[in-house]
Amino acid sequence: MSDFDVAIIGTGWSGLSAARVLQAKGKKVLVLEAQDRRGGRALSKTIDGMIVDVGCSMIHGYDKGNPAREIAEAFGADVQVLQGSMPRLIAHGEGTQTLEAGAVVAEAGKAGAGGIDLSQVDRATVSNTKSLYDHFASHSPPKDALAFLRLNELGPGIPLETISLKYWKYERNFAGVDAAPVKGYASLVEDIWKSVETAATNPVKVVLNAEVTALEHLAAAGSVKVTTNDPRDSASAPTTYTVPIVLSTIPLGVLKEKVTILFFSPPLPPSTLGALNRSKSGDLNKIYLSYPSVWWPGGEDKFVLLGPSTPIPSPSSLTSPDDIWAHTTLIAENVAASISSRASASNKAVLLFMVGANAAQALERFTDAEIQASLHAFLVRKLGGPGSTAPTPSSILVTRWRADPWARGAASTPVTVDNDGLLDFIELSRSVWDDHLFFGGEHTELDHHGSVPGAILSGEREANKILTAFKARQ
């Protein structure tokens, strides 16, 4: 038996939140992280000297009680509150036709862009098999409005045709003003981890490069054996810890892989396995394309390049980056302007493109060079028109979250049309092995799944459940 009361797997927001609560209550906490850094999907990088977030990026609902705001303020993090604006809207197909954004957005609103209005619709009367696309299309919106509505695929990371209308917008994610940590999300996470690891009283122990390869419930001893290996060295000897309680904050996509191998001993119960099998991890990738200057006419900070209103082909059918742009509604933002506190004289044009669902999966098959050349040519055609020229991009940064072995996707999706309902989010949050193995993470939060608040709240929730379990054994 080790000297620790609890072992937490993962240093993302969920593991961090749980560690803080348990530490404050005097529990000895060990945190195991497979990577050589802390933060999970909170990851910041630089492009041409400018900080950008390649994972979670915004404190959404900064004015609506998002717990990330309270944490940021407690640690003195500088944030920039962002101002919303109507983007320039560019029609699909050849040419550079700019549409009246207000009119398109209004038509999209008529088709129900906000999903089901709970004050007007009883969800019990909605078919499980009706998709969000079915709902939009039933209002016969103009093709431009329907193409604009494809932006609803970004957060979920799956096509509109697979999202269940019945449970769309059931969650209560924070909405309102957005704010960005000036030094990036990763810096904020690092500062918080530093505070718990260097605390004068009861510091938390964090071990990096410690991939958990097996969990074994030692029922007779009332503990869990945790086996770890250094992923950098396949020949390294395993390290084991035996602790009373383990909290897994392993991301959903990775957890789905773990249950297919000899990871949990004994295996997880059928109810948990069923929920894992039905749950999905969505796809959302980012492209940052940096230019030496703003070159597009008008110099707008935001624009939407509409795709066709028809469903996007399967990822395997998108055989080149050109195919992706031709079939996808792209939203772009010059973050050097919108998050001006991060920019400098040397980076005034850093375009962020959000690519979701099938397009995000297809994107991961292509190299940065292929994506840069194709996207740049597409932008010149769409923003500048025939015969236009533009400076060559100076840098590109592309995320590939599905290929990342420690993520296997961006975040959990809403309920899909092939799923029975919302109970899987609750099922995935339930402890097993007689309250010796607990589960946290955004995919275990019914009301705030797929978000930083969901991760934070799940960590706090599980920490309190763990404290209750300890009391019950006294």
Side-chain angles (χ1 to χ4, degrees):
M1 184 70 72
S2 74
D3 295 329
F4 299 101
D5 299 309
V6 182
I8 298 175
I9 306 174
T11 57
W13 275 110
S14 182
L16 175 55
S17 299
R20 294 179 69 204
V21 173
L22 293 169
Q23 178 190 44
K25 294 297 184 179
K27 298 302 179 185
K28 302 296 183 182
V29 179
L30 168 70
V31 183
L32 301 169
E33 170 58 58
Q35 302 187 76
D36 60 1
R37 63 172 182 83
R38 299 159 182 79
R41 284 167 287 181
L43 176 60
S44 305
K45 295 187 177 182
T46 59
I47 181 169
D48 288 344
M50 180 177 173
I51 297 171
V52 293
D53 288 304
V54 297
C56 55
S57 56
M58 296 295 164
I59 303 178
H60 299 298
Y62 191 73
D63 57 336
K64 301 294 184 180
N66 189 324
R69 173 179 181 171
E70 182 179 348
I71 294 172
E73 290 179 341
F75 283 84
D78 290 332
V79 300
Q80 179 181 340
V81 177
L82 307 184
Q83 303 299 317
S85 61
M86 190 71 75
R88 176 183 172 189
L89 216 57
I90 301 169
H92 175 62
E94 296 300 321
T96 60
Q97 179 188 2
T98 297
L99 303 173
E100 174 53 52
V104 174
V105 171
E107 289 292 342
K110 292 178 184 177
I116 292 178
D117 184 346
L118 286 177
S119 67
Q120 302 297 324
V121 178
D122 180 359
R123 291 181 188 271
T125 65
V126 181
S127 169
N128 283 345
T129 61
K130 190 172 184 180
S131 72
L132 188 58
Y133 177 83
D134 294 333
H135 173 62
F136 291 154
S138 68
H139 293 271
S140 300
K143 63 179 182 179
D144 291 332
L146 191 54
F148 184 82
L149 286 165
R150 287 281 171 191
L151 292 177
N152 282 283
E153 295 176 340
L154 290 179
I158 52 177
L160 296 179
E161 289 79 5
T162 64
I163 299 172
S164 169
L165 172 66
K166 183 168 187 170
Y167 299 110
W168 177 245
K169 296 295 184 183
Y170 182 91
E171 67 276 6
R172 297 184 177 183
N173 285 336
F174 296 97
V177 172
D178 286 345
V182 172
K183 294 182 180 179
Y185 247 120
S187 177
L188 174 58
V189 172
E190 282 284 350
D191 287 346
I192 303 171
W193 273 119
K194 185 183 297 182
S195 74
V196 298
E197 290 180 71
T198 61
T201 303
N202 191 27
V204 170
K205 174 69 173 178
V206 177
V207 182
L208 300 180
N209 298 305
E211 178 188 3
V212 176
T213 56
L215 293 175
E216 181 182 359
H217 181 207
L218 306 177
S223 58
V224 179
K225 179 182 177 182
V226 184
T227 303
T228 70
N229 281 93
D230 187 337
R232 301 168 301 175
D233 182 6
S234 59
S236 63
T239 300
T240 61
Y241 306 88
T242 304
V243 294
I245 288 177
V246 170
L247 169 60
S248 166
T249 69
I250 298 172
L252 176 61
V254 181
L255 198 57
K256 288 169 69 70
E257 288 186 338
K258 296 294 188 186
V259 297
T260 65
I261 60 176
L262 297 177
F263 184 84
F264 295 100
S265 179
L268 298 179
S271 57
T272 306
L273 293 175
L276 279 171
N277 183 58
R278 290 184 295 271
S279 300
K280 294 178 174 61
S281 183
D283 291 280
L284 174 62
N285 280 309
K286 297 180 179 180
I287 304 170
Y288 285 98
L289 192 62
S290 180
Y291 286 96
S293 61
V294 174
W295 57 267
W296 51 94
E300 293 90 353
D301 294 344
K302 297 179 183 178
F303 40 85
V304 174
L305 302 155
L306 292 178
S309 57
T310 52
I312 187 170
S314 66
S316 61
S317 299
L318 299 170
T319 59
S320 70
D322 289 349
D323 280 349
I324 296 177
W325 326 134
H327 290 92
T328 308
T329 293
L330 280 178
I331 184 168
E333 178 180 355
N334 180 10
V335 291
S338 59
I339 313 179
S340 56
S341 55
R342 294 184 184 174
S344 67
S346 62
N347 43 44
K348 292 297 185 183
V350 180
L351 293 176
L352 162 63
F353 297 85
M354 309 280 278
V355 183
N358 293 357
Q361 282 194 44
L363 188 74
E364 299 198 13
R365 299 202 311 270
F366 306 110
T367 67
D368 287 4
E370 290 171 325
I371 294 168
Q372 176 174 312
S374 174
L375 182 55
H376 173 65
F378 177 70
L379 292 176
V380 173
R381 292 195 306 271
K382 295 300 295 180
L383 299 182
S388 295
T389 60
T392 301
S394 53
S395 301
I396 190 170
L397 179 60
V398 183
T399 67
R400 294 174 177 85
W401 286 109
R402 177 64 59 182
D404 188 326
W406 316 121
R408 295 303 189 207
S412 60
T413 71
V415 174
T416 56
V417 291
D418 58 353
N419 199 337
D420 288 336
L422 299 159
L423 289 181
D424 286 340
F425 290 112
I426 298 173
E427 193 69 55
L428 292 176
S429 73
R430 291 189 167 176
S431 60
V432 299
W433 296 351
D434 195 24
D435 279 353
H436 289 282
L437 176 58
F438 292 75
F439 294 95
E442 51 81 14
H443 58 282
T444 69
E445 258 298 306
L446 175 61
D447 271 343
H448 300 282
H449 69 84
S451 67
V452 170
I456 294 172
L457 294 171
S458 77
E460 294 174 349
R461 179 199 71 218
E462 293 307 299
N464 285 307
K465 286 164 61 176
I466 288 169
L467 292 171
T468 299
F470 275 115
K471 288 181 180 179
R473 292 170 191 167
Q474 292 176 349

